[in-house]
Amino acid sequence: MRVELNGITVRFGPVTAVDDVSLGIEPGEIHALVGENGAGKSTLMNLLFGLVRPAAGTVVLDGVERRWSSPQDAIASGLGMVHQHFMLQDTMTVLENIVLCAEPVGRFGFVDFAAARRRLDAIAAEHGIAVDLTREVGRLSVSQRQTVEILKVLYREAELVILDEPTAVLTPQEKDRLFDTLRNFRAAGKSIVIITHKLDEVMEIADRVSVMRAGRLVRSSLLDETSRQEIARGIVGGELPEARTRKAQAAGDVVLSVRDATIARRGRPVGPVSFDLRAGEIVGIAGVSGNGQSELVRGLTGLDPLLSGGISLCGQSVETLDVAARRAHGMSYIPEDRQRMGLALGASVSENANAGRDDRSAFTTGPFLRHGAMMRFARAIIEDYRIRVAGPSAAASTMSGGNKQKLVVGRELTRNTAVVVAENPTWGVDIGAIDFIHGELMRMRDSGHAILLISTELDEVIALSDRILVMYDGAISGEVSGGEANREDVGALMMSRGKAA
Amino acid sequence: MMETGALNLRNVLPWLWTVLWIASIVLALLLFVGAPVGEALSGFWQGAFGGRRHAYLMATLSRSALIVGMAISVMLSFRAGLFNIGGEGQLVAGGLAAGLIAILLPGPPLVVLAAAIAGAMLAGAAWALLAGVLQLYMGVPLLVGSLLLNYPIRYIGSYLVAHPFRDVPSGMVQSYLVPQATWFAYFPGTRLDIGILFTLTATAFALVYSYGTLHGYHTRLNGLSADFARTVGLPVRRLTLQTLAISGAIAGLVGAIAVFGIHHRYIDGMLVQPLYAWTGIIAVLLVGMVPWAVPISGFFFAAVQTGAAGMERAAGVPKEIALVIQAVIILFVASRVSGALSSRAGRGDGDA
């Protein structure tokens, strides 16, 4: 399918999210759409998919101008989209999820699951992707869920497949498998649009690359006609930040010590896990998501109780204390899920910035709030962490992903605690924000704070950590010192239990 | 966003449509039952706001005192993310406690009155806390627990005024009168008792609490996202119980207002049948739990109810049709208001 977007403009209230963008997508082509968060990539694709309406411009499919009144129209015309946040029903099976809203109806109005199964078998055979159709989606791994989303799109006979940050949740091996599938689609003549932040992937798989910045299309060219540096400059609108250098620094006293901690999860418990964290070091915990990292974090922060084992924080055992007491003892936490745990999106920036603050007397008088003091505090964070937002009284939901994350990071790091637990702190944020957040974590380390960095982004762990622990299947499968880490060694530990390096 | 005239028109236009819809449906209903339209409408208006020396306006205010009080109670727990729909039980507990204390406790009237009001608030708070304890320690969802607790207290009340404390000579299922000296005074020259002052005080408290206190701020964060509240270390359990206690205490206070201001005794069903608690819930949901709008919303509901009664009196519109008209007005206004509030809140949630 040949798609042309002509002079597309999308506005949300006073904000112009996409500004006069014209773009062509050819059949049998993998088209990478790159740019920072808030550059308008997702909005542009949501428009193509009928989720938002343009203020100006036209969508032309195979020479015919089209207008969608809903995504259903777009699907019926052969478009399919795999969203960044999967849209699946956890309690239904894979098969039920796939046929949902496109059920083959048999006699007497019953759903003909047998027919659906036959078609999916054919699709699986053609494209070499398969997943157990009878499993409940809630029991699948993230990459399996993504496969379900892709099958959903294929089942609806999509000719154009849009994938929004498909590799954010995958291991290197799973990513390779996904890319094989995409190449297979290309060979079958389908058009593929892949929205991504990662230049490596663009260089690896794209035929054509389009760069967006601040709602505008900066450039769109064949991959062969451009270079990695040129794309990167287009994304940030200038020169790239330099690679980070680590200041050599001897680690100090142990500030966080975890001994044989086990934490409940569905199925087998996580653990036992033991490690020490010293002042002035960043310890990275690498691993494919779902290998017990999130349970470990919940156990450390006090969100979930330990089944057994102990945690000592600054010399005091804290495993029986609640979240507030652990925070007061010197722990800050940057959660992975900024939308649900990091921020209250319905509240203002100021209300979010002041939540969980220790120095209560600085913004209250007796039981009453001092709104002025809260606003000043929020404004200081906005400035120090260069958050782009209308002001401290704007709703947190009005910020872009990167700015939301900077607010969470700012709130937690401003507390200046001995220990900082950072869980995927740059998940889904743009290059500029990633660099800034990495810089702040490094600055905390250099000034003698201890940072536990839990990340599924291997490059991030390698770039920042003094030591790297790898988690696999609920336990620590090995430790690598930061200086000598290479992707392959750590990658091997991510896939196996106890092959310690 | 709202500086141009064109946009103002766009804001007003939906309201015009709402009014037109209400007008045409009400007209159709009135024509259907053959009621004189002019008289019915003026009856409605008079019934809500008119009367000799504004007697009906006073009736509307008197009703508002109870509905707004219940709405405030509901608003405090809903904003904290606690779906306490047991306001009715807490209201009954308060009314019952107020009535019994006033009947049984000897002493100077002011002391008795103060003790009865305090007792009513404690009873309401205790009944709400019971639902909270059921949720936190027994795993009964608050929505279910608070609702189910409405029934036992209602029948405990029925039993008490049907048997041990029944005013037998009156021939009704009701308690003895509370001492006359404890009755709320009327505002001079009106039939409006001073109970509304208690509601106004509770409203003022709720507004200051919601906008200006640390506790109100923390409970609001919990209401917006319980996960967030836990992550930043707010004491979620304690906030839950404290908020329920405050919410229940206000419902109990409303029960006391009904006893000392209106009925002067506990009559079986007097707090349940007029659906004060449920009207309060709808009044809060109508304005999307925005604190300052809650009293206005409560007053609106009271006015629609007394207005419908006035229409019945003045133009002989059958009671059932008056109730249908009441429902039509509420339905259209509700869809309009909550539509406007939610579209404002739901805008611009852009991640990635």
Side-chain angles (χ1 to χ4, degrees):
Chain A
M1 182 186 296
R2 180 169 283 105
V3 180
E4 283 168 55
L5 299 169
N6 297 319
I8 299 284
T9 299
V10 179
R11 292 199 185 90
F12 296 121
V15 181
T16 303
V18 174
D19 190 2
D20 191 23
V21 168
S22 300
L23 194 64
I25 302 162
E26 301 292 319
E29 148 182 300
I30 297 181
H31 193 132
L33 188 54
V34 297
E36 299 204 330
N37 258 337
K41 317 177 295 282
S42 293
T43 306
L44 186 65
M45 286 304 115
N46 284 340
L47 167 116
L48 178 55
F49 195 58
L51 285 164
V52 294
R53 246 158 276 267
T58 56
V59 176
V60 179
L61 299 191
D62 287 334
V64 184
E65 185 179 332
R66 308 299 283 268
R67 249 170 226 285
W68 317 130
S69 57
S70 80
Q72 291 303 325
D73 290 354
I75 292 169
S77 309
L79 269 54
M81 187 156 178
V82 176
H83 295 271
Q84 191 177 2
H85 303 280
F86 299 149
M87 309 206 168
L88 298 170
Q89 284 292 335
D90 277 357
T91 54
M92 291 166 76
T93 65
V94 171
L95 183 62
E96 286 167 336
N97 264 289
I98 290 174
V99 300
L100 196 62
C101 294
E103 299 89 349
V105 180
R107 254 177 299 172
F108 311 121
F110 290 106
V111 178
D112 188 353
F113 281 111
R117 209 179 284 266
R118 278 195 299 279
R119 263 193 58 200
L120 282 166
D121 285 342
I123 291 168
E126 186 187 342
H127 296 288
I129 41 179
V131 62
D132 182 358
L133 295 178
T134 58
R135 288 273 293 263
E136 236 177 60
V137 164
R139 302 166 60 110
L140 297 182
S141 74
V142 180
S143 90
Q144 285 170 317
R145 282 174 210 220
Q146 187 178 60
T147 310
V148 176
E149 285 279 12
I150 293 172
L151 278 172
K152 229 165 96 178
V153 167
L154 292 179
Y155 183 79
R156 285 159 179 70
E157 298 176 331
E159 284 305 309
L160 172 74
V161 183
I162 306 164
L163 299 110
D164 192 353
E165 305 233 11
T167 61
V169 292
L170 302 183
T171 63
Q173 287 79 359
E174 288 166 339
K175 185 213 77 182
D176 290 343
R177 225 173 303 142
L178 172 70
F179 280 9
D180 286 342
T181 309
L182 296 185
R183 289 192 188 96
N184 184 311
F185 289 178
R186 173 170 61 190
K190 294 186 193 297
S191 324
I192 297 125
V193 178
I194 164 168
I195 302 177
T196 181
H197 281 131
K198 300 178 188 166
L199 287 186
D200 287 336
E201 296 175 358
V202 175
M203 303 313 290
E204 181 182 343
I205 195 170
D207 301 309
R208 180 182 288 273
V209 54
S210 296
V211 182
M212 287 186 74
R213 189 173 71 242
R216 293 175 161 278
L217 184 70
V218 180
R219 54 186 302 123
S220 181
S221 53
L222 290 174
L223 191 70
D224 300 338
E225 293 166 6
T226 182
S227 72
R228 194 190 162 93
Q229 281 68 30
E230 209 172 9
I231 298 171
R233 275 199 298 276
I235 291 174
V236 297
E239 286 309 309
L240 284 181
E242 279 178 38
R244 202 157 291 291
T245 51
R246 194 198 327 274
K247 190 176 83 180
Q249 170 170 305
D253 298 334
V254 172
V255 285
L256 178 75
S257 166
V258 179
R259 286 287 159 267
D260 299 320
T262 58
I263 309 105
R265 74 167 158 183
R266 230 194 304 190
R268 211 154 33 80
V270 169
V273 173
S274 303
F275 64 89
D276 286 330
L277 180 64
R278 293 169 181 277
E281 71 172 352
I282 297 181
V283 171
I285 294 191
V288 179
S289 85
N291 275 287
Q293 300 99 315
S294 58
E295 287 81 4
L296 175 64
V297 167
R298 293 183 69 87
L300 284 179
T301 52
L303 288 167
D304 280 340
L306 295 191
L307 292 179
S308 65
I311 301 167
S312 119
L313 176 63
C314 303
Q316 173 143 6
S317 72
V318 296
E319 62 269 10
T320 55
L321 301 183
D322 65 7
V323 179
R326 292 188 205 192
R327 286 173 70 87
H329 262 298
M331 182 185 283
S332 293
Y333 173 39
I334 300 164
E336 161 183 65
D337 186 347
R338 57 178 164 267
Q339 307 273 53
R340 224 159 42 84
M341 298 176 73
L343 298 171
L345 290 182
S348 70
V349 170
S350 165
E351 286 171 316
N352 274 290
N354 285 275
R357 228 176 124 178
D358 315 276
D359 50 343
R360 203 161 272 184
S361 59
F363 70 106
T364 57
T365 311
F368 300 105
L369 297 172
R370 281 167 31 215
H371 287 286
M374 290 172 69
M375 290 289 190
R376 269 197 302 283
F377 183 72
R379 220 170 273 129
I381 292 185
I382 290 173
E383 270 169 37
D384 292 349
Y385 290 84
R386 294 186 230 142
I387 298 167
R388 265 189 302 185
V389 62
S393 49
S397 58
T398 60
M399 291 184 287
S400 75
N403 285 303
K404 281 177 188 161
Q405 189 66 10
K406 283 201 225 168
L407 176 58
V408 179
V409 169
R411 180 186 69 218
E412 295 301 310
L413 295 191
T414 306
R415 298 181 64 234
N416 244 330
T417 52
V419 173
V420 177
V421 178
E423 185 182 19
N424 286 319
T426 59
W427 186 79
V429 307
D430 58 75
I431 297 178
I434 289 175
D435 186 59
F436 183 81
I437 291 169
H438 283 177
E440 287 301 312
L441 291 175
M442 202 55 105
R443 183 181 60 75
M444 292 293 280
R445 166 207 181 258
D446 290 348
S447 61
H449 298 266
I451 295 169
L452 187 67
L453 171 71
I454 300 94
S455 177
T456 47
E457 205 71 65
L458 194 46
D459 293 327
E460 173 168 69
V461 175
I462 291 176
L464 292 181
S465 307
D466 296 291
R467 288 188 292 134
I468 299 171
L469 306 173
V470 184
M471 275 191 89
Y472 175 75
D473 197 20
I476 290 176
S477 59
E479 177 175 340
V480 185
S481 110
E484 63 201 43
N486 67 49
R487 286 185 66 92
E488 282 64 39
D489 289 352
V490 181
L493 286 170
M494 284 164 70
M495 303 310 293
S496 68
R497 171 181 279 275
K499 240 196 321 184
Chain B
M1 263 212 272
M2 42 186 69
E3 57 280 322
T4 61
L7 267 169
N8 271 334
L9 186 65
R10 223 198 290 168
N11 286 337
V12 172
L13 212 56
W15 281 101
L16 284 178
W17 274 113
T18 307
V19 170
L20 262 174
W21 268 105
I22 294 176
S24 47
I25 294 181
V26 167
L27 195 68
L29 281 167
L30 290 178
L31 291 177
F32 175 71
V33 295
V37 173
E39 276 173 53
L41 293 183
S42 89
F44 190 96
W45 186 259
Q46 287 293 321
F49 307 112
R52 217 157 57 86
R53 295 203 297 177
H54 298 292
Y56 292 132
L57 175 62
M58 296 306 149
T60 300
L61 286 174
S62 171
R63 184 173 277 267
S64 306
L66 304 187
I67 292 178
V68 170
M70 287 314 293
I72 291 292
S73 156
V74 168
M75 188 262 296
L76 290 179
S77 43
F78 276 23
R79 264 175 76 87
L82 304 170
F83 290 98
N84 166 25
I85 56 168
E88 190 167 282
Q90 295 140 30
L91 173 69
V92 167
L96 204 55
L100 293 183
I101 292 173
I103 292 166
L104 295 176
L105 190 72
L110 262 181
V111 174
V112 171
L113 184 60
I117 291 176
M121 294 177 73
L122 278 177
W127 208 251
L129 276 177
L130 199 51
V133 168
L134 280 176
Q135 155 152 308
L136 289 180
Y137 300 98
M138 321 281 272
V140 181
L142 188 64
L143 198 68
V144 176
S146 64
L147 177 65
L148 288 182
L149 280 172
N150 283 347
Y151 298 97
I153 190 68
R154 197 162 130 185
Y155 294 115
I156 290 171
S158 296
Y159 164 75
L160 288 176
V161 297
H163 298 287
F165 298 100
R166 181 170 188 173
D167 183 2
V168 178
S170 75
M172 313 270 280
V173 182
Q174 57 187 16
S175 75
Y176 302 106
L177 283 170
V178 297
Q180 196 167 359
T182 62
W183 296 6
F184 282 166
Y186 292 117
F187 285 104
T190 68
R191 299 283 291 165
L192 177 66
D193 65 80
I194 59 163
I196 198 168
L197 295 181
F198 286 90
T199 302
L200 287 176
T201 310
T203 307
F205 164 79
L207 293 183
V208 171
Y209 172 84
S210 300
Y211 289 120
T213 68
L214 183 67
H215 201 275
Y217 164 52
H218 282 171
T219 52
R220 175 170 136 78
L221 291 179
N222 187 47
L224 287 169
S225 168
D227 285 317
F228 171 73
R230 261 169 66 71
T231 307
V232 295
L234 298 183
V236 173
R237 274 168 186 253
R238 207 171 69 215
L239 289 175
T240 298
L241 293 177
Q242 287 167 341
T243 306
L244 282 175
I246 297 173
S247 169
I250 292 177
L253 173 68
V254 175
I257 295 172
V259 167
F260 292 109
I262 301 170
H263 301 285
H264 305 131
R265 59 169 104 215
Y266 185 90
I267 308 168
D268 190 28
M270 74 176 192
L271 299 171
V272 176
Q273 259 132 38
L275 298 177
Y276 295 124
W278 300 105
T279 311
I281 291 177
I282 303 169
V284 169
L285 294 180
L286 171 65
V287 294
M289 305 181 225
V290 174
W292 59 264
V294 166
I296 302 167
S297 170
F299 179 74
F300 162 77
F301 275 86
V304 171
Q305 289 178 358
T306 51
M311 184 153 74
E312 187 187 337
R313 268 194 315 272
V317 177
K319 182 166 176 243
E320 292 75 12
I321 295 300
L323 288 173
V324 172
I325 288 174
Q326 181 188 326
V328 166
I329 295 176
I330 291 171
L331 208 60
F332 274 92
V333 173
S335 60
R336 190 64 242 133
V337 171
S338 40
L341 285 171
S342 66
S343 76
R344 198 179 306 164
R347 205 164 289 160
D349 182 17
D351 198 348

